[in-house]
Amino acid sequence: MTAEFPAEKIRNIGITAHIDAGKTTTTERILYYSGRVHRMGDVDHGTATMDWMPQEKERGITIQSAATTCIWKGHQVNIIDTPGHVDFTAEVERSLRVLDGAVAVFCAVGGVEPQSETVWHQADRYGVPRIAFVNKMDRQGADFSRVLRMMKDMLGARPVPVILPMGSADGFSGIIDIIAGKAVRFDQASFGARFTMENVPEEFEEEYLEARDSLWETAAMLDETAIEKYFDGSLESDEVRRLLRKGVIAGELVPVLAGAALRNVGIQQLMDAIVDWLPSPVDLPPVTGFLQDGTEVRVGRSEDEPFTALVFKIQTDPHLGRLAFMRVYSGLVKDGDYVLNNRTDRKDRLTRLVRLHANKRDHLEHVKAGDIAAAGLKDAATGDTLTLPGRRLTLESIKFPEPVMQVAIEPLNTSDEKALEKALAELVSEDPSFRVGVDEESGQTIIMGMGELHLEIIASRIRTEKGVEVRTGRPQVSYRESVSVPAECESEFARLIQGRGHYGHARLRVSPLESGFEFVNAMETEEFPDHFVEAVKRGVKGSLGAGPLAGYPVDGVRVELLFARLHETDSSETGYAYAGSMAFRECMNKGVPILKEPLMQLEIICPSDYVGEVIGDVNARRGSILSMEPVGEVQSIKARVPLAELFGYSSALRSLTQGRAGFSMQFSRYERMADNITKRILEQMGITRT
């Protein structure tokens, strides 16, 4: 693909949704109709273009976000197909950070499911304009109106239907384009590539007219001059399209389309909506960067500005080696140019500049504002800002969730220890939600991730990609520690280090907090130097990694600095950091330490016949039922259950319901563990506390 497109003709979009809503199938159709591929891939048969990893083909799910590019109606559309499984939410997070727009795919039966809700709020956080596609209108239980209601109630969105489905399930026969005022029927002999526009059937006339009037009114409210045209009946369809674009980019509304990707219905209309309503790079405001001294700088999204890019993903390519995926916000650089990595403060040469199509690649001579591409960069990491040498500027980085599960891992052959170490280091650099540590007591290597599937995939990749045979232990939950009552302690540090006296003194109060960490300077005097306050804080933060009960990270504490004493000659940052650390550890012991466990929010879809058994099983797993409602002919049960009780839940649920139920889960929060469970966990670890 060698054609050059101006920035206003570029769309950088993501396809996001809950697992099994049809994201990858939708992307496959987009690639087929745009001529990017000449044969439609199939997720169920492991032939999907975007699911190219062996683990994705085997499981029929998306694990890594995959990038591709296609052309539609004179526009270059850069697409990132993101995972829908909660264990791979970091892939979605980093993709949304660099995209200009998104297509949220919803299942017409499931509606707004847990992971689609999570992804929606991630997009809210980054201010990403969206359109929605209600997929699977041909499925039993499909309900377009219900999905619209769920979008309003659960997402706080303002959905505006621009397409209406004609019927549902077995009676689904096509769609109605509200703006064009035509029914659209798709020719299955051409795999949906050909379609006909007809008059709206009489049976759908009333529904269409009502939807059209609502759409025209919504569009008119976005512009004062359009309101007058609406009331005198002269508001034209082209003006409505223009107003909708304005509303989408401003985040005021979400156009909703409908179809059935597997049956090749409604995809071309979705592609039109992408180029018509989602923003180009130049439609969005400048990005914010920071100079070394903290000064805020606005970076214009133009080729004329100096080069600025953000690295959002690292991937090891079997042919090209280590590649850094980057989003270019401004300027232009050529293959072979030197750029500055603002994290390392080192120059790095751009080599192997490519645009990717899943696991295939096209070589590029240069990249410019608006582009998403990959290049060989030695020391780049996710979240790094790249600029021209001599221009120090840092863009806001990407925040990732903390791991909640861990397993021990070791090579089958001791001769592979170095190879395993290297493989783990490469995977850590690729996946920001994956961590590696060492169990201090056993000396075992511990890998930490977002769930059972995440760690299972990591082990599988080590075997298949890195060629190292490994064995893993039973998954273990990554707990957190906190205090149950406020505690006050003080500590004094006075020591001679390398011939120089170091002194520090701090009195702290540590109190329980629902989550996170807060540090407050509560001293009444303003004479105590700020840099010593920061040193105390630094000492406290350095002690958050291991709590007093079992060495788990500390979460959910508020630390107040009540008093600190100065020394005439020996006060030092080192001294106050040590004093803060010692006082904090003492407070943690004195504040009756507790364990906190991760709770997962479950959504279980099961036939009514098995509701009693499913609820009984949830209660037996220390879970609580949050809600239950009918979804077509099945029941949707929402519950909150400790992660520790969910190992092997997939098999247990299949057994309970004869394979007729399914579930999804996402992390909810950390919550205090019951004392008897805490005692049991500590005993299993060989820890006894009085």
Side-chain angles (χ1 to χ4, degrees):
M1 189 175 299
T2 56
E4 279 280 334
F5 289 83
E8 59 271 16
K9 295 287 186 181
I10 293 175
R11 301 289 182 270
N12 292 313
I13 68 155
I15 311 284
T16 68
H18 186 86
I19 190 169
D20 205 30
K23 296 178 308 302
T24 301
T25 303
T26 301
T27 308
E28 291 293 322
R29 273 38 180 189
I30 289 174
L31 296 177
Y32 179 75
Y33 297 133
S34 65
R36 190 69 171 92
V37 298
H38 301 293
R39 176 176 162 274
M40 286 185 191
D42 187 287
V43 173
D44 294 331
H45 291 94
T47 58
T49 307
M50 304 304 283
D51 287 349
W52 57 270
M53 291 173 64
Q55 294 82 3
E56 293 175 318
K57 292 178 184 291
E58 180 186 331
R59 290 168 173 80
I61 61 171
T62 302
I63 292 168
Q64 283 199 349
S65 51
T68 188
T69 300
C70 65
I71 308 299
W72 185 252
K73 295 191 173 177
H75 290 74
Q76 176 182 310
V77 183
N78 299 322
I79 303 171
I80 295 182
D81 177 29
T82 63
H85 196 286
V86 62
D87 282 16
F88 309 105
T89 189
E91 288 289 320
V92 186
E93 185 82 32
R94 58 176 162 199
S95 298
L96 287 171
R97 170 66 179 83
V98 299
L99 292 170
D100 299 330
V103 177
V105 179
F106 296 99
C107 172
V109 181
V112 178
E113 298 170 278
Q115 186 63 4
S116 51
E117 188 174 1
T118 299
V119 172
W120 190 273
H121 294 314
Q122 286 174 311
D124 280 342
R125 189 161 65 250
Y126 292 118
V128 179
R130 276 146 281 174
I131 60 177
F133 180 64
V134 179
N135 191 27
K136 303 193 177 185
M137 283 305 307
D138 56 330
R139 283 269 306 275
Q140 198 66 37
D143 189 336
F144 185 69
S145 299
R146 176 175 171 270
V147 179
L148 294 176
R149 288 195 302 275
M150 292 176 82
M151 288 179 69
K152 286 179 189 173
D153 298 341
M154 297 174 66
L155 305 178
R158 189 184 177 193
V160 180
V162 293
I163 295 287
L164 289 178
M166 292 195 288
S168 63
D170 293 339
F172 179 59
S173 59
I175 58 175
I176 297 171
D177 185 329
I178 298 174
I179 299 178
K182 294 289 183 181
V184 190
R185 298 190 191 274
F186 293 81
D187 170 39
Q188 292 305 314
S190 66
F191 300 104
R194 293 194 298 270
F195 55 85
T196 56
M197 307 282 280
E198 307 170 1
N199 291 329
V200 176
E202 193 174 323
E203 64 203 274
F204 297 108
E205 184 77 27
E206 187 178 335
E207 184 185 357
Y208 155 67
L209 289 173
E210 188 179 320
R212 184 187 187 279
D213 194 47
S214 175
L215 176 58
W216 253 244
E217 183 181 354
T218 301
M221 293 301 170
L222 297 168
D223 190 291
E224 285 185 17
T225 58
I227 294 174
E228 296 174 18
K229 291 181 181 178
Y230 168 70
F231 284 120
D232 66 23
S234 62
L235 186 60
E236 297 294 332
S237 57
D238 286 347
E239 181 76 353
V240 170
R241 290 182 194 278
R242 184 189 68 79
L243 291 168
L244 284 177
R245 177 177 180 78
K246 177 183 175 184
V248 170
I249 293 172
E252 295 180 22
L253 51 84
V254 181
V256 183
L257 298 92
L262 198 59
R263 277 181 51 187
N264 313 312
V265 175
I267 302 300
Q268 293 93 325
Q269 287 69 28
L270 173 62
M271 295 164 76
D272 289 344
I274 289 168
V275 300
D276 285 348
W277 297 321
L278 289 179
S280 72
V282 296
D283 291 320
L284 297 171
V287 291
T288 303
F290 299 91
L291 300 176
Q292 271 183 294
D293 61 3
T295 305
E296 191 174 298
V297 177
R298 307 283 276 173
V299 179
R301 298 171 184 254
S302 164
E303 223 177 292
D304 301 327
E305 296 270 334
F307 172 74
T308 311
L310 183 74
V311 175
F312 68 94
K313 179 180 172 75
I314 301 295
Q315 184 174 310
T316 304
D317 185 279
H319 303 285
L320 298 177
R322 192 172 187 271
L323 289 177
F325 284 68
M326 59 182 173
R327 164 64 198 268
V328 183
Y329 286 103
S330 63
L332 181 149
V333 288
K334 296 175 182 176
D335 193 11
D337 282 356
Y338 280 91
V339 295
L340 174 71
N341 184 326
N342 284 264
R343 176 180 59 86
T344 62
D345 198 22
R346 291 181 187 161
K347 288 196 297 182
D348 209 342
R349 189 165 176 261
L350 283 179
T351 59
R352 310 185 300 279
L353 198 55
V354 291
R355 178 174 290 125
L356 275 89
H357 173 52
N359 61 334
K360 299 180 177 66
R361 55 212 73 74
D362 299 324
H363 179 73
L364 297 173
E365 295 297 328
H366 66 266
V367 287
K368 61 183 187 342
D371 280 340
I372 290 178
L377 288 167
K378 286 181 185 174
D379 300 320
T382 298
D384 285 354
T385 301
L386 306 176
T387 55
L388 293 176
R391 182 172 176 261
R392 291 297 305 271
L393 178 76
T394 304
L395 300 176
E396 183 185 351
S397 193
I398 311 170
K399 295 181 176 66
F400 295 103
E402 289 293 314
V404 296
M405 192 174 286
Q406 61 188 44
V407 300
I409 190 169
E410 61 185 19
L412 285 183
N413 303 309
T414 53
S415 58
D416 282 338
E417 283 181 359
K418 287 289 182 189
L420 175 60
E421 197 177 304
K422 183 183 179 212
L424 290 173
E426 287 176 357
L427 290 169
V428 165
S429 75
E430 290 182 21
D431 185 348
S433 62
F434 173 59
R435 310 276 169 81
V436 176
V438 176
D439 186 300
E440 290 183 7
E441 290 185 9
S442 66
Q444 284 181 301
T445 299
I446 303 294
I447 57 173
M448 294 162 274
M450 300 306 297
E452 274 184 284
L453 181 62
H454 188 196
L455 296 176
E456 194 182 309
I457 296 294
I458 290 288
S460 174
R461 290 186 64 194
I462 291 171
R463 294 185 190 103
T464 57
E465 294 175 24
K466 314 298 180 185
V468 181
E469 285 299 321
V470 294
R471 67 164 69 92
T472 56
R474 186 178 182 273
Q476 295 181 324
V477 177
S478 180
Y479 297 108
R480 297 289 185 267
E481 298 189 25
S482 186
V483 292
S484 54
V485 295
E488 283 188 26
C489 299
E490 65 181 300
S491 184
E492 186 174 60
F493 179 88
R495 195 170 299 173
L496 204 63
I497 302 175
Q498 293 181 339
R500 187 190 160 213
H502 288 272
Y503 177 85
H505 171 276
R507 185 160 78 238
L508 304 178
R509 180 192 293 126
V510 176
S511 313
L513 197 65
E514 188 171 324
S515 65
F517 164 72
E518 280 184 16
F519 183 89
V520 179
N521 180 5
M523 290 194 294
E524 294 179 3
T525 175
E526 295 180 4
E527 295 175 5
F528 193 75
D530 288 343
H531 63 281
F532 288 155
V533 172
E534 282 300 311
V536 174
K537 180 179 179 180
R538 193 163 60 249
V540 171
K541 288 184 80 171
S543 300
L544 293 176
L549 270 180
Y552 288 111
V554 175
D555 173 72
V557 290
R558 174 186 169 91
V559 180
E560 295 169 88
L561 175 58
L562 303 177
F563 177 73
R565 186 179 293 119
L566 286 168
H567 190 278
E568 287 181 8
T569 57
D570 292 349
S571 289
S572 72
E573 291 188 21
T574 300
Y576 287 101
Y578 272 110
S581 175
M582 289 156 52
F584 176 72
R585 286 200 294 269
E586 193 179 335
C587 283
M588 285 296 298
N589 271 306
K590 190 176 174 183
V592 189
I594 56 169
L595 278 187
K596 298 172 76 175
E597 62 181 340
L599 298 186
M600 308 302 285
Q601 183 154 320
L602 252 66
E603 181 173 23
I604 306 159
I605 304 293
C606 78
S608 301
D609 298 350
Y610 299 100
V611 166
E613 289 90 336
V614 169
I615 289 177
D617 184 62
V618 166
N619 290 332
R621 294 172 185 272
R622 299 192 286 125
S624 55
I625 303 297
L626 304 177
S627 68
M628 190 172 73
E629 63 170 317
V631 180
E633 298 174 3
V634 296
Q635 293 285 332
S636 168
I637 303 167
K638 290 187 178 174
R640 196 173 284 130
V641 185
L643 176 61
E645 305 292 340
L646 290 171
F647 294 138
Y649 184 63
S650 180
S651 300
L653 184 64
R654 279 199 300 270
S655 176
L656 272 176
T657 62
Q658 296 182 9
R660 295 176 61 194
F663 80 101
S664 61
M665 68 176 180
Q666 63 177 342
F667 173 73
S668 175
R669 63 172 186 264
Y670 274 93
E671 193 170 89
R672 178 176 179 171
M673 189 189 292
D675 291 342
N676 62 319
I677 307 293
T678 300
K679 185 180 178 184
R680 191 180 76 210
I681 296 292
L682 294 177
E683 285 173 353
Q684 288 171 355
M685 298 175 69
I687 299 170
T688 306
R689 286 187 67 93
T690 55

PDB file of all heavy atoms in Angstrom, residues 22 25 92 232 505 583 586:
ATOM      1  N   GLY A  22     -18.173 -10.385  18.343  1.00  0.00           N
ATOM      2  CA  GLY A  22     -17.995 -10.386  16.888  1.00  0.00           C
ATOM      3  C   GLY A  22     -17.049  -9.330  16.356  1.00  0.00           C
ATOM      4  O   GLY A  22     -17.129  -8.956  15.187  1.00  0.00           O
ATOM      5  N   THR A  25     -14.691 -10.902  13.549  1.00  0.00           N
ATOM      6  CA  THR A  25     -15.503 -11.211  12.358  1.00  0.00           C
ATOM      7  C   THR A  25     -15.863  -9.929  11.619  1.00  0.00           C
ATOM      8  O   THR A  25     -15.805  -9.866  10.376  1.00  0.00           O
ATOM      9  CB  THR A  25     -16.790 -11.968  12.765  1.00  0.00           C
ATOM     10  OG1 THR A  25     -16.415 -13.146  13.475  1.00  0.00           O
ATOM     11  CG2 THR A  25     -17.608 -12.358  11.546  1.00  0.00           C
ATOM     12  N   VAL A  92      -6.196  -3.357  25.338  1.00  0.00           N
ATOM     13  CA  VAL A  92      -7.219  -2.364  24.969  1.00  0.00           C
ATOM     14  C   VAL A  92      -6.800  -0.988  25.458  1.00  0.00           C
ATOM     15  O   VAL A  92      -6.921   0.012  24.745  1.00  0.00           O
ATOM     16  CB  VAL A  92      -8.592  -2.743  25.571  1.00  0.00           C
ATOM     17  CG1 VAL A  92      -9.679  -1.794  25.076  1.00  0.00           C
ATOM     18  CG2 VAL A  92      -8.954  -4.187  25.226  1.00  0.00           C
ATOM     19  N   ASP A 232     -38.960  24.225   9.814  1.00  0.00           N
ATOM     20  CA  ASP A 232     -39.680  24.550   8.564  1.00  0.00           C
ATOM     21  C   ASP A 232     -39.570  23.422   7.533  1.00  0.00           C
ATOM     22  O   ASP A 232     -39.965  23.571   6.368  1.00  0.00           O
ATOM     23  CB  ASP A 232     -39.215  25.896   7.980  1.00  0.00           C
ATOM     24  CG  ASP A 232     -37.755  25.878   7.505  1.00  0.00           C
ATOM     25  OD1 ASP A 232     -37.242  24.780   7.208  1.00  0.00           O
ATOM     26  OD2 ASP A 232     -37.137  26.956   7.435  1.00  0.00           O
ATOM     27  N   HIS A 505      13.852  12.142  61.477  1.00  0.00           N
ATOM     28  CA  HIS A 505      12.871  11.810  62.515  1.00  0.00           C
ATOM     29  C   HIS A 505      11.478  12.062  61.945  1.00  0.00           C
ATOM     30  O   HIS A 505      11.244  13.078  61.286  1.00  0.00           O
ATOM     31  CB  HIS A 505      13.101  12.691  63.757  1.00  0.00           C
ATOM     32  CG  HIS A 505      12.010  12.551  64.782  1.00  0.00           C
ATOM     33  ND1 HIS A 505      10.829  13.262  64.708  1.00  0.00           N
ATOM     34  CD2 HIS A 505      11.914  11.755  65.883  1.00  0.00           C
ATOM     35  CE1 HIS A 505      10.053  12.926  65.728  1.00  0.00           C
ATOM     36  NE2 HIS A 505      10.698  12.007  66.455  1.00  0.00           N
ATOM     37  N   ALA A 583       9.058   4.131  60.534  1.00  0.00           N
ATOM     38  CA  ALA A 583       7.814   4.496  61.224  1.00  0.00           C
ATOM     39  C   ALA A 583       6.610   3.853  60.538  1.00  0.00           C
ATOM     40  O   ALA A 583       5.678   3.377  61.203  1.00  0.00           O
ATOM     41  CB  ALA A 583       7.663   6.017  61.257  1.00  0.00           C
ATOM     42  N   GLU A 586       6.376   0.129  61.391  1.00  0.00           N
ATOM     43  CA  GLU A 586       5.904  -0.041  62.769  1.00  0.00           C
ATOM     44  C   GLU A 586       4.394   0.203  62.857  1.00  0.00           C
ATOM     45  O   GLU A 586       3.667  -0.530  63.535  1.00  0.00           O
ATOM     46  CB  GLU A 586       6.668   0.928  63.688  1.00  0.00           C
ATOM     47  CG  GLU A 586       6.490   0.615  65.169  1.00  0.00           C
ATOM     48  CD  GLU A 586       7.276   1.561  66.069  1.00  0.00           C
ATOM     49  OE1 GLU A 586       8.291   2.120  65.603  1.00  0.00           O
ATOM     50  OE2 GLU A 586       6.863   1.744  67.213  1.00  0.00           O
TER      51      GLU A 586
END
